[in-house]
Amino acid sequence: MGVSLKWLKEYVDFDWKPEELAHNLTMAGVAIEGIEETDNDTVMELDLTPNRGDCLGLINLAREVAALNGTDVRIPELKITENGERIDDFISVKIDAPDLCPRYTARAIKNVTLKPSPAWMQEHLINSGIRPINNVVDITNYVMLETNQPLHAFDYSLLGQDHTIVVRRAKPGEKFTTLDDVERELDQNMLVITDGSKPVALAGVMGGLNTEINDSTTTVLLESACFMGTNIRRTSHTLALRSDSSIRFEKGTDINGVIYAVNRAANLIQELAGGEVVSGICDEYPAHQVPKKILLRPERVNYLLGTSIPTEEIKVFLTRLKFNVSDIKDYLMVEVPTYRPDIEMEVDLIEEVARLYGYQNIPTNLPYGPTTTGGLTPYQKFRDMVKSLAAHQLYEVINYSFINPTWLDMLLLPENSELRNVIKVANPLSEDQSVMRTLLLPGLLTTVSRNLARKNDNLAMFEMGSVFYPDVQGLPREKLKLAAVVAGNTDVNWLKHKVDMDFYYLKGIVESFLNQLGVTGFRFIEATNPGYHPGRTALIQVGEKILGVIGEIHPLVLQNFSIKPRACAFELDMEMLYEFSSRKIMMEEIARYPSVERDIAIIVDQALEVDRVISVIKEAEDKLLREVVVFDIYSGEQVPQGSKSIAFKLTLQASDRTLTDDEVSKTITDVLEALKTRLDARLR
């Protein structure tokens, strides 16, 4: 917006040169983009921040200049001579959307003579970037630039027979032709001004061609209203139609300034167009808005600014801004005019004090105090270590926390599963991201499917991420999980052949992973779990708690995700993993004495878990036994039906001596006796 300094001086006195004025206003928070010299004037181009939309009005800008140099503002006085007719006989106003139009006022002026506006008014308009049209339209634009209150003038004779202004939402698909002679299709989120039957203006944006001021206009209806800025911005953006009015409403106007603006315009029309002003104003104001009152603590002002400004000086600064200030004990109660909507809190008042005091006067003291070295918590360090270990054998992937609810059906989750108790996103970008995930598996399977479709056949990947569960107390419960999925084969090289990445391959990764983290006493317990293959799934148990699940993905689930090869996955609870892990590294001296290996093969019940057999062996001999390895499992001929043969390699070693044959034989005998007693196992 261009600001004429000649025009500005009509409201406030100042002796600054244009460059000095620009500097002072910029220091006060009103940015100036440039200065242009004309034949008989100087025009400053404003570059306002969104919070200072009030300075789009010359009177408000004059208030800023007056506050800076300690002078008074000359607000034009109104001298309206009203005729004997009543406004109620001319127009009535009804607001059907008070949330979008909190106030609407109107005045009527009769016997108006249209002609070009005076040269001084045209000059001011041209310097501000507005084309003069005629005296009535020019007056509405002039007052808008003066007061920051957009106005609109209707040809009264072109309004409906009911002479009722109705402010309502547009009907879906409703058509309306604006002043630029373009027919526009409206939607129900837009606000229109109607004459009771048809739209006559697009509220806050542009008037209608059907009620335009023309050469035959004699009676004018002046509109001065307040519209919700966010709605005007949305309408303007949707229709790609931006006007001087919409710019001001977007930034916010003074709801209590509409009366002065409409009276100022009526006064000028009376003077410059010979109009007769009808007595009274039609004012629909459903919810009266009073100025804000904010408590200001002088000691807080000096604490934040690092200054020692006396309380009386703070009062002077605020009074110069035309804020009403009163004392309440050691505090100040400040009443902020409604034309300053940017002032909402105590810190806003402190900023006003700072800019009037002068930023250059605020001392530049460096902060001081104790400093502490930043660092990660033990849990954060553990989380990074887990990622580092997992990355040795798996590629890390990151999926969205938002998922498609149909993925839960694709995982074959039962209807009563707790994992179906999801948190719905209030404003989802799409159906594919409408709920928060309760497990990591669907995202990983989707990533596998996407890679297979691009001929990436051998996949081994992990993800560490949060899952979310509802909580009756408000915010959802968030838990960190670690999950992985493998599909296909390992890479082939000169040293090794390809290996299927099956359940046992992934189980080996988990065992190595847990051992490196110092998790001891973990067991794999056969179980069934939704989404996993029955008979090829296990729960990972540590003590009495379930750390996670591992298994082969159910064939129907793979089919639902368009995955052809077999895939296996695991999912672990990170908090529980942290609880069971040991960050201590235990060291012992390398034994100087040789170890002894013995192989045994036993016959046990077919349903007996190998893990249970190993536990009995370790419990039977915990001093000399160093390692137990299963190297064969057989069932068939030479083994009774319903039984199986398991072969173990036992490694025995003492740290202080070479074992004798008698010691080794006794140890093996004790182990076999324990197996027979506790598991009914017999030597094959």
Side-chain angles (χ1 to χ4, degrees), residues 611-634:
D611 185 65
R612 173 65 176 149
V613 179
I614 294 176
S615 297
V616 172
I617 293 174
K618 290 181 177 180
E619 291 171 4
E621 177 53 60
D622 60 348
K623 294 181 180 179
L624 301 180
L625 187 63
R626 290 290 180 266
E627 187 178 25
V628 180
V629 177
V630 179
F631 65 86
D632 183 60
I633 299 178
Y634 173 77

PDB file of all heavy atoms in Angstrom, residues 611-634:
ATOM      1  N   ASP A 611      14.179 -76.793  23.532  1.00  0.00           N
ATOM      2  CA  ASP A 611      14.610 -75.797  24.505  1.00  0.00           C
ATOM      3  C   ASP A 611      14.484 -76.329  25.930  1.00  0.00           C
ATOM      4  O   ASP A 611      15.327 -76.045  26.783  1.00  0.00           O
ATOM      5  CB  ASP A 611      13.770 -74.529  24.333  1.00  0.00           C
ATOM      6  CG  ASP A 611      14.236 -73.408  25.234  1.00  0.00           C
ATOM      7  OD1 ASP A 611      15.362 -72.927  25.043  1.00  0.00           O
ATOM      8  OD2 ASP A 611      13.465 -73.010  26.130  1.00  0.00           O
ATOM      9  N   ARG A 612      13.431 -77.107  26.157  1.00  0.00           N
ATOM     10  CA  ARG A 612      13.219 -77.705  27.495  1.00  0.00           C
ATOM     11  C   ARG A 612      14.323 -78.710  27.800  1.00  0.00           C
ATOM     12  O   ARG A 612      14.831 -78.770  28.927  1.00  0.00           O
ATOM     13  CB  ARG A 612      11.851 -78.374  27.518  1.00  0.00           C
ATOM     14  CG  ARG A 612      11.551 -79.167  28.773  1.00  0.00           C
ATOM     15  CD  ARG A 612      11.469 -78.286  29.970  1.00  0.00           C
ATOM     16  NE  ARG A 612      11.086 -79.049  31.163  1.00  0.00           N
ATOM     17  CZ  ARG A 612      11.471 -78.771  32.390  1.00  0.00           C
ATOM     18  NH1 ARG A 612      12.270 -77.721  32.600  1.00  0.00           N
ATOM     19  NH2 ARG A 612      11.064 -79.499  33.397  1.00  0.00           N
ATOM     20  N   VAL A 613      14.755 -79.504  26.799  1.00  0.00           N
ATOM     21  CA  VAL A 613      15.821 -80.493  26.996  1.00  0.00           C
ATOM     22  C   VAL A 613      17.138 -79.794  27.325  1.00  0.00           C
ATOM     23  O   VAL A 613      17.869 -80.200  28.244  1.00  0.00           O
ATOM     24  CB  VAL A 613      15.967 -81.367  25.737  1.00  0.00           C
ATOM     25  CG1 VAL A 613      17.089 -82.394  25.930  1.00  0.00           C
ATOM     26  CG2 VAL A 613      14.655 -82.069  25.419  1.00  0.00           C
ATOM     27  N   ILE A 614      17.441 -78.721  26.592  1.00  0.00           N
ATOM     28  CA  ILE A 614      18.687 -77.990  26.839  1.00  0.00           C
ATOM     29  C   ILE A 614      18.700 -77.410  28.247  1.00  0.00           C
ATOM     30  O   ILE A 614      19.737 -77.421  28.935  1.00  0.00           O
ATOM     31  CB  ILE A 614      18.864 -76.882  25.781  1.00  0.00           C
ATOM     32  CG1 ILE A 614      19.057 -77.502  24.397  1.00  0.00           C
ATOM     33  CG2 ILE A 614      20.030 -75.977  26.133  1.00  0.00           C
ATOM     34  CD1 ILE A 614      19.134 -76.484  23.271  1.00  0.00           C
ATOM     35  N   SER A 615      17.550 -76.906  28.709  1.00  0.00           N
ATOM     36  CA  SER A 615      17.479 -76.347  30.061  1.00  0.00           C
ATOM     37  C   SER A 615      17.797 -77.406  31.105  1.00  0.00           C
ATOM     38  O   SER A 615      18.517 -77.138  32.085  1.00  0.00           O
ATOM     39  CB  SER A 615      16.084 -75.766  30.308  1.00  0.00           C
ATOM     40  OG  SER A 615      15.818 -74.699  29.438  1.00  0.00           O
ATOM     41  N   VAL A 616      17.280 -78.635  30.929  1.00  0.00           N
ATOM     42  CA  VAL A 616      17.552 -79.715  31.890  1.00  0.00           C
ATOM     43  C   VAL A 616      19.025 -80.077  31.885  1.00  0.00           C
ATOM     44  O   VAL A 616      19.641 -80.302  32.944  1.00  0.00           O
ATOM     45  CB  VAL A 616      16.670 -80.943  31.564  1.00  0.00           C
ATOM     46  CG1 VAL A 616      17.086 -82.144  32.419  1.00  0.00           C
ATOM     47  CG2 VAL A 616      15.199 -80.612  31.783  1.00  0.00           C
ATOM     48  N   ILE A 617      19.647 -80.109  30.689  1.00  0.00           N
ATOM     49  CA  ILE A 617      21.070 -80.434  30.597  1.00  0.00           C
ATOM     50  C   ILE A 617      21.896 -79.394  31.343  1.00  0.00           C
ATOM     51  O   ILE A 617      22.820 -79.732  32.113  1.00  0.00           O
ATOM     52  CB  ILE A 617      21.500 -80.526  29.128  1.00  0.00           C
ATOM     53  CG1 ILE A 617      20.832 -81.720  28.449  1.00  0.00           C
ATOM     54  CG2 ILE A 617      23.019 -80.626  29.012  1.00  0.00           C
ATOM     55  CD1 ILE A 617      21.091 -81.800  26.957  1.00  0.00           C
ATOM     56  N   LYS A 618      21.595 -78.119  31.155  1.00  0.00           N
ATOM     57  CA  LYS A 618      22.367 -77.057  31.811  1.00  0.00           C
ATOM     58  C   LYS A 618      22.157 -77.063  33.317  1.00  0.00           C
ATOM     59  O   LYS A 618      23.083 -76.753  34.076  1.00  0.00           O
ATOM     60  CB  LYS A 618      21.974 -75.704  31.230  1.00  0.00           C
ATOM     61  CG  LYS A 618      22.456 -75.501  29.794  1.00  0.00           C
ATOM     62  CD  LYS A 618      22.062 -74.118  29.270  1.00  0.00           C
ATOM     63  CE  LYS A 618      22.604 -73.893  27.870  1.00  0.00           C
ATOM     64  NZ  LYS A 618      22.232 -72.559  27.328  1.00  0.00           N
ATOM     65  N   GLU A 619      20.943 -77.386  33.757  1.00  0.00           N
ATOM     66  CA  GLU A 619      20.686 -77.425  35.194  1.00  0.00           C
ATOM     67  C   GLU A 619      21.377 -78.609  35.848  1.00  0.00           C
ATOM     68  O   GLU A 619      21.759 -78.545  37.025  1.00  0.00           O
ATOM     69  CB  GLU A 619      19.180 -77.494  35.437  1.00  0.00           C
ATOM     70  CG  GLU A 619      18.450 -76.201  35.062  1.00  0.00           C
ATOM     71  CD  GLU A 619      16.941 -76.364  35.095  1.00  0.00           C
ATOM     72  OE1 GLU A 619      16.476 -77.459  35.479  1.00  0.00           O
ATOM     73  OE2 GLU A 619      16.225 -75.424  34.715  1.00  0.00           O
ATOM     74  N   ALA A 620      21.566 -79.700  35.083  1.00  0.00           N
ATOM     75  CA  ALA A 620      22.209 -80.891  35.651  1.00  0.00           C
ATOM     76  C   ALA A 620      23.706 -80.686  35.861  1.00  0.00           C
ATOM     77  O   ALA A 620      24.294 -81.274  36.763  1.00  0.00           O
ATOM     78  CB  ALA A 620      21.971 -82.096  34.733  1.00  0.00           C
ATOM     79  N   GLU A 621      24.322 -79.870  35.038  1.00  0.00           N
ATOM     80  CA  GLU A 621      25.763 -79.625  35.163  1.00  0.00           C
ATOM     81  C   GLU A 621      26.056 -78.172  34.816  1.00  0.00           C
ATOM     82  O   GLU A 621      26.070 -77.781  33.660  1.00  0.00           O
ATOM     83  CB  GLU A 621      26.541 -80.555  34.224  1.00  0.00           C
ATOM     84  CG  GLU A 621      28.036 -80.323  34.242  1.00  0.00           C
ATOM     85  CD  GLU A 621      28.618 -80.363  35.651  1.00  0.00           C
ATOM     86  OE1 GLU A 621      28.491 -81.405  36.317  1.00  0.00           O
ATOM     87  OE2 GLU A 621      29.170 -79.337  36.087  1.00  0.00           O
ATOM     88  N   ASP A 622      26.275 -77.350  35.840  1.00  0.00           N
ATOM     89  CA  ASP A 622      26.502 -75.926  35.611  1.00  0.00           C
ATOM     90  C   ASP A 622      27.934 -75.500  35.884  1.00  0.00           C
ATOM     91  O   ASP A 622      28.266 -74.326  35.736  1.00  0.00           O
ATOM     92  CB  ASP A 622      25.555 -75.102  36.475  1.00  0.00           C
ATOM     93  CG  ASP A 622      25.759 -75.375  37.958  1.00  0.00           C
ATOM     94  OD1 ASP A 622      26.470 -76.350  38.281  1.00  0.00           O
ATOM     95  OD2 ASP A 622      25.205 -74.614  38.775  1.00  0.00           O
ATOM     96  N   LYS A 623      28.831 -76.450  36.272  1.00  0.00           N
ATOM     97  CA  LYS A 623      30.214 -76.090  36.589  1.00  0.00           C
ATOM     98  C   LYS A 623      31.150 -76.348  35.415  1.00  0.00           C
ATOM     99  O   LYS A 623      31.949 -75.488  35.055  1.00  0.00           O
ATOM    100  CB  LYS A 623      30.694 -76.865  37.813  1.00  0.00           C
ATOM    101  CG  LYS A 623      29.956 -76.486  39.098  1.00  0.00           C
ATOM    102  CD  LYS A 623      30.503 -77.275  40.290  1.00  0.00           C
ATOM    103  CE  LYS A 623      29.766 -76.885  41.582  1.00  0.00           C
ATOM    104  NZ  LYS A 623      30.274 -77.652  42.747  1.00  0.00           N
ATOM    105  N   LEU A 624      31.065 -77.542  34.838  1.00  0.00           N
ATOM    106  CA  LEU A 624      32.002 -77.906  33.779  1.00  0.00           C
ATOM    107  C   LEU A 624      31.432 -77.714  32.381  1.00  0.00           C
ATOM    108  O   LEU A 624      32.192 -77.623  31.418  1.00  0.00           O
ATOM    109  CB  LEU A 624      32.421 -79.381  33.958  1.00  0.00           C
ATOM    110  CG  LEU A 624      33.085 -79.721  35.294  1.00  0.00           C
ATOM    111  CD1 LEU A 624      33.458 -81.198  35.348  1.00  0.00           C
ATOM    112  CD2 LEU A 624      34.322 -78.854  35.518  1.00  0.00           C
ATOM    113  N   LEU A 625      30.116 -77.665  32.275  1.00  0.00           N
ATOM    114  CA  LEU A 625      29.496 -77.560  30.956  1.00  0.00           C
ATOM    115  C   LEU A 625      29.666 -76.148  30.393  1.00  0.00           C
ATOM    116  O   LEU A 625      29.245 -75.170  30.989  1.00  0.00           O
ATOM    117  CB  LEU A 625      28.007 -77.908  31.053  1.00  0.00           C
ATOM    118  CG  LEU A 625      27.249 -78.010  29.730  1.00  0.00           C
ATOM    119  CD1 LEU A 625      27.809 -79.138  28.880  1.00  0.00           C
ATOM    120  CD2 LEU A 625      25.771 -78.223  29.993  1.00  0.00           C
ATOM    121  N   ARG A 626      30.275 -76.026  29.217  1.00  0.00           N
ATOM    122  CA  ARG A 626      30.505 -74.728  28.597  1.00  0.00           C
ATOM    123  C   ARG A 626      29.518 -74.443  27.453  1.00  0.00           C
ATOM    124  O   ARG A 626      29.137 -73.305  27.228  1.00  0.00           O
ATOM    125  CB  ARG A 626      31.939 -74.661  28.037  1.00  0.00           C
ATOM    126  CG  ARG A 626      33.001 -74.614  29.114  1.00  0.00           C
ATOM    127  CD  ARG A 626      32.986 -73.275  29.847  1.00  0.00           C
ATOM    128  NE  ARG A 626      33.993 -73.216  30.889  1.00  0.00           N
ATOM    129  CZ  ARG A 626      33.783 -73.504  32.158  1.00  0.00           C
ATOM    130  NH1 ARG A 626      32.564 -73.881  32.540  1.00  0.00           N
ATOM    131  NH2 ARG A 626      34.744 -73.435  33.054  1.00  0.00           N
ATOM    132  N   GLU A 627      29.122 -75.478  26.725  1.00  0.00           N
ATOM    133  CA  GLU A 627      28.270 -75.243  25.564  1.00  0.00           C
ATOM    134  C   GLU A 627      27.463 -76.488  25.242  1.00  0.00           C
ATOM    135  O   GLU A 627      27.941 -77.621  25.416  1.00  0.00           O
ATOM    136  CB  GLU A 627      29.133 -74.844  24.354  1.00  0.00           C
ATOM    137  CG  GLU A 627      28.329 -74.409  23.139  1.00  0.00           C
ATOM    138  CD  GLU A 627      29.214 -73.981  21.985  1.00  0.00           C
ATOM    139  OE1 GLU A 627      30.375 -74.450  21.925  1.00  0.00           O
ATOM    140  OE2 GLU A 627      28.751 -73.191  21.147  1.00  0.00           O
ATOM    141  N   VAL A 628      26.219 -76.258  24.795  1.00  0.00           N
ATOM    142  CA  VAL A 628      25.348 -77.338  24.329  1.00  0.00           C
ATOM    143  C   VAL A 628      24.874 -76.967  22.929  1.00  0.00           C
ATOM    144  O   VAL A 628      24.288 -75.896  22.731  1.00  0.00           O
ATOM    145  CB  VAL A 628      24.126 -77.540  25.245  1.00  0.00           C
ATOM    146  CG1 VAL A 628      23.253 -78.678  24.733  1.00  0.00           C
ATOM    147  CG2 VAL A 628      24.560 -77.799  26.675  1.00  0.00           C
ATOM    148  N   VAL A 629      25.127 -77.844  21.954  1.00  0.00           N
ATOM    149  CA  VAL A 629      24.751 -77.578  20.567  1.00  0.00           C
ATOM    150  C   VAL A 629      23.933 -78.751  20.040  1.00  0.00           C
ATOM    151  O   VAL A 629      24.337 -79.910  20.189  1.00  0.00           O
ATOM    152  CB  VAL A 629      25.988 -77.374  19.673  1.00  0.00           C
ATOM    153  CG1 VAL A 629      25.575 -77.178  18.212  1.00  0.00           C
ATOM    154  CG2 VAL A 629      26.795 -76.176  20.154  1.00  0.00           C
ATOM    155  N   VAL A 630      22.775 -78.447  19.447  1.00  0.00           N
ATOM    156  CA  VAL A 630      21.962 -79.470  18.787  1.00  0.00           C
ATOM    157  C   VAL A 630      22.472 -79.614  17.357  1.00  0.00           C
ATOM    158  O   VAL A 630      22.519 -78.631  16.617  1.00  0.00           O
ATOM    159  CB  VAL A 630      20.471 -79.066  18.778  1.00  0.00           C
ATOM    160  CG1 VAL A 630      19.642 -80.124  18.070  1.00  0.00           C
ATOM    161  CG2 VAL A 630      19.970 -78.852  20.188  1.00  0.00           C
ATOM    162  N   PHE A 631      22.848 -80.844  16.958  1.00  0.00           N
ATOM    163  CA  PHE A 631      23.320 -81.012  15.584  1.00  0.00           C
ATOM    164  C   PHE A 631      22.487 -81.998  14.777  1.00  0.00           C
ATOM    165  O   PHE A 631      22.745 -82.200  13.587  1.00  0.00           O
ATOM    166  CB  PHE A 631      24.810 -81.418  15.560  1.00  0.00           C
ATOM    167  CG  PHE A 631      25.113 -82.762  16.161  1.00  0.00           C
ATOM    168  CD1 PHE A 631      25.014 -83.928  15.404  1.00  0.00           C
ATOM    169  CD2 PHE A 631      25.529 -82.865  17.475  1.00  0.00           C
ATOM    170  CE1 PHE A 631      25.327 -85.148  15.951  1.00  0.00           C
ATOM    171  CE2 PHE A 631      25.839 -84.092  18.030  1.00  0.00           C
ATOM    172  CZ  PHE A 631      25.728 -85.252  17.268  1.00  0.00           C
ATOM    173  N   ASP A 632      21.453 -82.586  15.415  1.00  0.00           N
ATOM    174  CA  ASP A 632      20.604 -83.480  14.635  1.00  0.00           C
ATOM    175  C   ASP A 632      19.291 -83.715  15.363  1.00  0.00           C
ATOM    176  O   ASP A 632      19.278 -83.887  16.596  1.00  0.00           O
ATOM    177  CB  ASP A 632      21.301 -84.821  14.389  1.00  0.00           C
ATOM    178  CG  ASP A 632      20.461 -85.739  13.504  1.00  0.00           C
ATOM    179  OD1 ASP A 632      20.170 -85.335  12.372  1.00  0.00           O
ATOM    180  OD2 ASP A 632      20.068 -86.830  13.967  1.00  0.00           O
ATOM    181  N   ILE A 633      18.209 -83.719  14.599  1.00  0.00           N
ATOM    182  CA  ILE A 633      16.890 -84.109  15.094  1.00  0.00           C
ATOM    183  C   ILE A 633      16.314 -85.072  14.076  1.00  0.00           C
ATOM    184  O   ILE A 633      16.252 -84.748  12.874  1.00  0.00           O
ATOM    185  CB  ILE A 633      15.958 -82.892  15.275  1.00  0.00           C
ATOM    186  CG1 ILE A 633      16.544 -81.910  16.295  1.00  0.00           C
ATOM    187  CG2 ILE A 633      14.573 -83.329  15.714  1.00  0.00           C
ATOM    188  CD1 ILE A 633      15.694 -80.665  16.483  1.00  0.00           C
ATOM    189  N   TYR A 634      15.896 -86.258  14.535  1.00  0.00           N
ATOM    190  CA  TYR A 634      15.457 -87.289  13.608  1.00  0.00           C
ATOM    191  C   TYR A 634      14.236 -87.991  14.155  1.00  0.00           C
ATOM    192  O   TYR A 634      14.132 -88.263  15.351  1.00  0.00           O
ATOM    193  CB  TYR A 634      16.587 -88.319  13.383  1.00  0.00           C
ATOM    194  CG  TYR A 634      16.160 -89.518  12.574  1.00  0.00           C
ATOM    195  CD1 TYR A 634      16.013 -89.421  11.188  1.00  0.00           C
ATOM    196  CD2 TYR A 634      15.907 -90.748  13.191  1.00  0.00           C
ATOM    197  CE1 TYR A 634      15.614 -90.522  10.438  1.00  0.00           C
ATOM    198  CE2 TYR A 634      15.514 -91.852  12.451  1.00  0.00           C
ATOM    199  CZ  TYR A 634      15.356 -91.733  11.064  1.00  0.00           C
ATOM    200  OH  TYR A 634      14.950 -92.820  10.331  1.00  0.00           O
TER     201      TYR A 634
END
